[in-house]
């Protein structure tokens, strides 16, 4: 990249940040300016830096490590395609929102945030250069926080127990779906044209593999 081009981009970023700093204290959330090409942080408002306990220079030095350090990588896989599609549309007037799991340190649990994301600058070819995100903790909205926490608990449950589910055979998964509907051994046997004893054996094996004590647990 020519030196004069790099200088103009640096000046652009500095001007954008200066404009944001004028009103960032009035925004009810954390403002983050990202490099659109790799997601690294160019600037974060003071409220966010105070929450994370870092300086803006430290955030910039982290590069893409910022994403790994503070965000749930498994959750990020779910909204990354949405973000990529958004960037490909290159529409400066479009705003997308995503739920993100954030934690300020590895010792603390993830908490839900809702983030609004917008392109704030593109190059001469229309390629997005800078993104601005405004992140708000979901805990500030009580009912939404409860729903989000249930989703988080379910995700954690699935991650913790997925290996147990994967131990089931295709036949056992088929039967598990029927068990979950509350069907009796007799009705399942009639539906699958097998004996009740076979159904009972499958039920026993499924409970053993899933570490379930009751049918309700399954």
């Amino acid at each position: 990249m020519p030196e004069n081009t790099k200088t103009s981009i640096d000046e652009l970023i500095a001007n954008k940040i200066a404009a944001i700093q004028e009103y960032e204290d009035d925004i009810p959330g954390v403002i983050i300016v990202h490099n659109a090409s790799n997601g690294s942080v160019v600037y974060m408002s003071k409220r966010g830096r105070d929450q994370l306990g870092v300086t803006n220079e430290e955030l910039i030095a982290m590069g893409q490590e910022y994403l790994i350090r503070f965000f749930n990588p498994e959750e990020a896989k779910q909204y990354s395609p949405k973000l990529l599609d958004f960037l490909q549309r290159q529409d400066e007037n479009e705003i997308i929102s995503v739920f993100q799991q954030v934690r300020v340190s590895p010792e603390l649990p993830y908490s839900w945030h809702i983030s609004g994301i917008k392109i704030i600058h593109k190059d001469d070819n229309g390629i997005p250069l800078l993104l601005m995100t405004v992140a708000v903790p979901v805990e500030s909205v009580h009912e939404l926080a409860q729903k989000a926490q249930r989703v988080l608990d379910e995700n954690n449950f699935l991650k913790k127990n997925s290996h147990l589910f994967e131990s089931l055979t295709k036949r056992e998964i088929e039967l598990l779906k029927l068990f979950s509907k509350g069907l009796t051994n007799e009705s399942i046997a009639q539906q699958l044209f097998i004996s009740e004893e076979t159904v009972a054996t499958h039920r026993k094996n499924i409970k053993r593999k899933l570490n379930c004590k009751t049918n309700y647990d399954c």
Side-chain angles (χ1 to χ4, degrees):
M1 179 184 296
E3 186 64 30
N4 60 341
T5 301
K6 183 178 186 302
T7 300
S8 63
I9 293 176
D10 290 342
E11 290 176 353
L12 165 71
I13 293 174
N15 291 335
K16 289 286 185 181
I17 291 174
I20 290 171
Q21 287 174 324
E22 291 184 7
Y23 60 79
E24 66 178 37
D25 289 341
D26 298 324
I27 301 300
V30 174
I31 301 174
I32 311 104
V33 178
H34 296 276
N35 182 323
S37 66
N38 59 23
S40 62
V41 174
V42 175
Y43 176 76
M44 180 180 289
S45 60
K46 184 178 184 301
R47 181 180 289 110
R49 299 196 306 269
D50 289 346
Q51 290 176 6
L52 298 181
V54 295
T55 65
N56 203 64
E57 291 72 21
E58 289 172 334
L59 286 170
I60 293 173
M62 288 180 194
Q64 291 183 297
E65 183 188 346
Y66 158 82
L67 300 172
I68 300 172
R69 179 171 174 180
F70 297 113
F71 294 84
N72 186 335
E74 293 300 319
E75 187 69 22
K77 293 177 183 178
Q78 299 184 26
Y79 58 76
S80 291
K82 179 179 180 179
L83 181 57
L84 291 175
D85 289 342
F86 164 70
L87 290 173
Q88 290 176 355
R89 290 192 292 273
Q90 302 177 1
D91 185 354
E92 287 180 289
N93 295 315
E94 183 180 3
I95 297 173
I96 63 168
S97 60
V98 297
F99 282 103
Q100 297 178 302
Q101 295 177 34
V102 184
R103 64 182 178 187
V104 298
S105 73
E107 295 75 26
L108 295 176
Y110 287 108
S111 62
W112 283 97
H113 286 65
I114 184 167
S115 298
I117 305 171
K118 184 181 186 300
I119 297 169
I120 59 173
H121 189 72
K122 297 189 292 186
D123 65 15
D124 294 337
N125 297 317
I127 304 301
L129 289 179
L130 296 176
L131 301 177
M132 184 168 74
T133 298
V134 177
V136 180
V138 175
E139 287 81 358
S140 62
V141 185
H142 181 65
E143 292 183 2
L144 189 57
Q146 289 182 329
K147 293 178 182 179
Q149 188 59 50
R150 283 198 295 270
V151 173
L152 179 58
D153 291 341
E154 289 175 3
N155 285 342
N156 290 336
F157 177 84
L158 290 173
K159 292 171 188 174
K160 181 180 179 181
N161 295 284
S162 61
H163 67 288
L164 298 177
F165 183 77
E166 291 168 358
S167 71
L168 300 178
T169 65
K170 290 184 179 180
R171 188 59 155 177
E172 288 170 340
I173 292 174
E174 180 183 16
L175 284 157
L176 178 59
K177 292 177 181 178
L178 298 176
F179 294 155
S180 69
K181 296 178 181 179
L183 300 181
T184 63
N185 288 358
E186 180 182 5
S187 61
I188 293 174
Q190 293 175 352
Q191 183 172 332
L192 299 181
F193 303 103
I194 57 179
S195 69
E196 289 185 45
E197 290 77 12
T198 299
V199 176
T201 299
H202 279 305
R203 189 187 293 267
K204 181 179 179 181
N205 290 338
I206 290 171
K207 289 168 70 174
R208 175 179 54 79
K209 288 184 177 181
L210 298 183
N211 294 330
C212 297
K213 295 182 179 180
T214 66
N215 292 331
Y216 180 78
D217 289 340
C218 290

